[in-house]
Amino acid sequence: LLIGRSLHLCCGKSKIGTVRLDLHEPDADIQVDAAHTGLDNKSFDTVLADPPYNGEFQWNHDLLEEMARLAIKRIIFQHWFIPANPDGLYKKNNNFHLSGIYVWQPKTYFGRAQLISVFDWSI
């Protein structure tokens, strides 16, 4: 699903992405808060995040905004919710539209389903 040069926010130990960013992972390419990266606007074709589920409310909003600020072509977001309005537009930048959604569930007995939402630049 990645297009071109990609940034993986909250990467943890994952090796996915051209550039991997995580505040708490010493092997990440960049160690900084994913919601406040300080990176240049529109600096990655794809921005991907599978954020922690214990993030504070404002931090989650800041992360979604940061993803839209950094992405040129595509945003990929994995969580239990879809950050889209009823028309399928990304809540933090309506120039991105929902172009795909993937659902998977871990193999645990009561595993919480995961949603991977893909947003593409539409203008």
Side-chain angles (χ1 to χ4, degrees):
L1 296 174
L2 301 177
I3 296 172
R5 187 168 180 256
S6 61
L7 173 65
H8 188 171
L9 301 173
C10 309
C11 68
K13 297 202 180 295
S14 172
K15 299 298 181 192
I16 296 172
T18 309
V19 177
R20 298 167 44 256
L21 183 150
D22 196 300
L23 180 60
H24 303 291
E25 179 54 49
D27 291 333
D29 300 312
I30 302 171
Q31 282 188 284
V32 68
D33 183 351
H36 309 282
T37 66
L39 298 171
D40 292 338
N41 291 348
K42 303 294 179 196
S43 52
F44 294 90
D45 296 307
T46 302
V47 177
L48 160 70
D50 177 6
Y53 293 88
N54 58 353
E56 293 182 16
F57 185 78
Q58 187 59 53
W59 184 88
N60 288 325
H61 279 277
D62 293 346
L63 174 69
L64 293 172
E65 200 163 300
E66 188 74 347
M67 293 179 76
R69 186 183 73 76
L70 295 170
I72 298 169
K73 298 177 182 178
R74 178 169 281 177
I75 294 169
I76 302 172
F77 186 71
Q78 179 176 325
H79 216 293
W80 52 267
F81 69 93
I82 303 168
N85 68 21
D87 295 322
L89 302 177
Y90 191 72
K91 287 187 175 185
K92 299 297 181 177
N93 183 329
N94 289 170
N95 292 321
F96 287 95
H97 71 278
L98 185 64
S99 59
I101 188 128
Y102 300 84
V103 180
W104 67 276
Q105 185 173 14
K107 294 183 179 185
T108 58
Y109 188 73
F110 285 112
R112 177 185 281 184
Q114 296 290 303
L115 304 171
I116 300 172
S117 49
V118 179
F119 296 86
D120 287 314
W121 184 260
S122 58
I123 293 179

